[in-house]
Amino acid sequence: MDVIMPQLGETVEEGTVSIWHKKVGDQITEGEDLFDVSTDKVEMEIPAPASGELVEIRVAEGETVDVGVTLAVISDGAAATATTASAATAPAASAEAPESAAPAAMDVIMPQLGETVEEGTVSVWHKKVGDHVEAGEDLFDVSTDKVEMEIPAPASGELIEIRVAEGETVAVGVTLAVIGGGAATAPAVAAEKPAPATPVAATPAPAAASTRKVSLRDARGNPLSPVVRRLIAENALTPEDITGTGRAGRITRKDVLAFLDGKGAQPAAPVTDARTPVPASKDGRTVVPFDKIRKLTAEHMVRSKATSPHVLQAVEVDFHSVERARLALREVWKQQYGFSLTYLPFIAKAVCEAIAEYPRINAHVEGESLVLFDQINLGIAVDLNFEGLVVPVVKNAGVKSIAELAKDIRALSDKARNKKLGPDDMAGGTYTISNSGTFGTLITAPVISQPQVAILSMDGVSKKPVVIDVEGSDAIAIHPVGVLAQSFDHRAIDGAYSAAFLKKVRECLQDNDWRVDLA
C-alpha cells in the first residue's frame, strides 16, 4: 500500500514530512504513528494506513511535497516472500553457470532523499569490505542539510567494494559500493582499494595527506554527520554535551533534537574554541533556538511579506453598545456557558455582516485572479502562552449567531492550547482576526495569512471621553474605545474598498443593539 501526503484541509496543497517514527524494515500496525506532517500553521502525527512492513521511504524528513505524493510503501509480506523466493533461486542458477562466469554483483547508489535533493553525504558505513550483508539490514547512513537516514542493503551478498568514504559528498545516482554474490571476489577488490575499508582514525590526519572532505568526529571517534554538525553549531553546543544513541554511541540528529527539547540548548561545559558560536548563558547572552512552530511561522510571514504589498488602515470604534450587552448578560452567560463573553465574537459578527456588502475582502489571490468565497471561514489567531501562534478556523461563520461564534472561538482556542487541533480545524480560512487587545496595544499592523487578502487586528479597549448626541446637542460621555486595524493586499483591493469595509464594521459595532442579538 502506498502512503501518501494527506490533504490537511480544503485549501492546503502541500506538506512537509517533519519526522518518520519508523524506518525501512520496521513492522508497523495500522493506526500507530508513522510520521509527522507540518504546514505553515500546524504539525500533526499521521497514523499508518495499514499493517505490514515499511519497505520503502520515498520522501525524507524535511522535504515538502504536494498532497497525494507517495511518501512510503507498506508491504503485507507478499512482495517480500516473492523476493526471498527469487533470491533463493539465484545461487542455484550461479552454480550451473560456467566457472569462468563472474559472480552477480549489484551497485549500491546514492539514493534520492526527496524530489529537490541532488546530493548526499555518506556519514558512516556500518559494514566494511569483505563483510557479508543481508538485504534490508543497515548498510550506511546518508545525511543532507535537513535529514539523516539509515539506508538498508539492496541485496544479500559480500560487500566487495566501497567507492565513497565516510564524510564524502556525492550526487544522487553515484555508485557508493558494490555487493557481490561470491566471497572470493572480495579480497582482490579490497586489496585494490584498502583506504575506504577501514574507518578513518579518531586522530585527524595532516591536512596535506588528503584533499577529500573528511567528517568531523566525536570524542569516541564516531563521525558527526553534516546535519548533526549544523545543529550543534547553530545551537552553540559541543559533541560532549550530547549522549549518542546510535551505533557505538554515535550522535544522531534525533539525539541533538532531544537534547534541545529537554534542556533548552544549554551546554554542559564551556566552549573555548573561538570559532564556534557563543553558547547559551555565557558572556551575558542566552541562545534560544527556534522550535518548529516558530520556524514555520517565520517562513510563512517572510513569504507573505514578499508576496503581498501590505497596506494598513485603522478605525477607532466606540464599543458602548457592545459593552452594554456584555454587562447585561454577564452573569447569566457565565453561568450558562462557563466562560466570559468577550469583545471578540461581536467583532467576528460585525466582520461577517460587513463582508456581505464587501465580498472582495473574503477572498484568495490565485495567480492573476481573485477568488471570492460565498462561505465565510474566520481564522482566529490563538497565542500558545508565548510559545507560538496558530490560527484555527470557525467554519461558515456568516450564518452563526454571536453565541455560536463565542462558543466556537472558545472551543477552538482550548483545543489549540491543549494541542488537540486536527487538520480540519486549521483548514479553509478566508479571513483572519488577530487579538492583541488583552495586552492593551494601541494599534497593530498584522501580516496577511496567504493566500487571503486581508487580516484584522483587534487592539486594546479603554475608557475615553467621546462626543455623543443628547436630544440634538453635543455632550461628553465616557465610553470604551478601541482601534481596529486591517492589513490588506493591494493587489486584490484598493484603499477605498478597504476603508468602506472598515466603516461598515464600525457601524455594526456601534449601531447594532447587541442585546437583541443575544436575547
Side-chain angles (χ1 to χ4, degrees), residues 3-304:
V3 179
I4 65 171
M5 175 61 72
Q7 176 80 42
L8 298 180
E10 299 170 349
T11 62
V12 178
E13 299 178 351
E14 63 182 17
T16 300
V17 177
S18 50
I19 189 171
W20 284 100
H21 298 298
K22 300 289 184 178
K23 62 181 184 296
V24 170
D26 283 352
Q27 290 293 324
I28 56 179
T29 302
E30 181 179 357
E32 72 173 318
D33 292 339
L34 180 58
F35 61 100
D36 290 5
V37 170
S38 60
T39 70
D40 58 330
K41 299 174 183 176
V42 67
E43 179 167 353
M44 63 186 54
E45 297 172 337
I46 307 299
S51 299
E53 180 184 350
L54 185 60
V55 297
E56 184 179 1
I57 292 177
R58 297 183 181 177
V59 177
E61 294 177 355
E63 291 298 318
T64 300
V65 296
D66 292 337
V67 168
V69 168
T70 298
L71 307 179
V73 179
I74 297 174
S75 170
D76 61 1
T81 303
T83 302
T84 303
S86 175
T89 63
S94 298
E96 297 171 3
E99 291 184 1
S100 59
M106 173 176 285
D107 289 345
V108 180
I109 66 170
M110 175 61 70
Q112 175 82 41
L113 298 182
E115 296 178 345
T116 62
V117 178
E118 298 179 351
E119 63 181 17
T121 300
V122 177
S123 50
V124 65
W125 284 99
H126 299 302
K127 298 289 184 178
K128 63 182 184 294
V129 170
D131 283 352
H132 179 79
V133 297
E134 292 291 337
E137 74 171 318
D138 293 340
L139 179 58
F140 62 99
D141 290 4
V142 170
S143 63
T144 70
D145 61 340
K146 298 177 182 177
V147 67
E148 181 172 9
M149 183 175 298
E150 295 175 337
I151 307 299
S156 299
E158 300 294 330
L159 184 59
I160 62 176
E161 184 179 3
I162 293 177
R163 297 183 181 178
V164 176
E166 294 176 356
E168 292 188 357
T169 301
V170 295
V172 168
V174 168
T175 297
L176 307 178
V178 180
I179 295 175
T185 311
V189 180
E192 294 174 9
K193 292 180 72 72
T198 304
V200 181
T203 54
S210 174
T211 58
R212 71 180 179 87
K213 183 178 179 181
V214 179
S215 61
L216 299 179
R217 296 175 176 269
D218 62 20
R220 294 185 179 91
N222 294 316
L224 299 177
S225 68
V227 67
V228 168
R229 296 202 306 270
R230 178 178 61 81
L231 286 171
I232 287 175
E234 288 179 353
N235 294 284
L237 303 176
T238 67
E240 290 73 24
D241 298 329
I242 303 161
T243 301
T245 61
R247 293 176 184 268
R250 189 172 61 86
I251 298 172
T252 68
R253 176 176 176 272
K254 290 182 179 179
D255 294 331
V256 183
L257 294 178
F259 178 87
L260 295 176
D261 289 341
K263 297 185 178 181
Q266 297 208 10
V271 179
T272 57
D273 190 339
R275 295 170 296 178
T276 58
V278 177
S281 301
K282 183 178 179 180
D283 297 335
R285 303 195 306 164
T286 298
V287 178
V288 181
F290 284 177
D291 59 18
K292 292 178 181 177
I293 292 179
R294 175 54 50 205
K295 288 179 180 178
L296 293 170
T297 301
E299 292 171 359
H300 184 60
M301 295 299 96
V302 170
R303 184 166 64 250
S304 181

Side-chain angles (χ1 to χ4, degrees), residues 333-417:
W333 180 276
K334 188 70 176 289
Q335 291 177 3
Q336 184 174 357
Y337 297 110
F339 62 91
S340 299
L341 183 60
T342 68
Y343 287 98
L344 188 53
F346 294 90
I347 294 173
K349 184 65 176 178
V351 163
C352 291
E353 292 184 12
I355 284 175
E357 291 190 23
Y358 299 94
R360 293 192 177 190
I361 293 291
N362 191 56
H364 285 178
V365 172
E366 295 184 8
E368 296 182 350
S369 300
L370 186 64
V371 179
L372 279 61
F373 298 99
D374 296 333
Q375 181 171 305
I376 302 170
N377 295 333
L378 285 183
I380 305 295
V382 178
D383 171 66
L384 302 178
N385 298 318
F386 306 136
E387 294 181 356
L389 185 77
V390 293
V391 187
V393 178
V394 177
K395 302 295 176 55
N396 209 13
V399 302
K400 295 185 176 181
S401 66
I402 291 178
E404 290 171 326
L405 289 170
K407 289 186 289 184
D408 284 356
I409 291 171
R410 174 74 178 198
L412 287 171
S413 298
D414 288 345
K415 289 177 70 174
R417 295 189 175 106

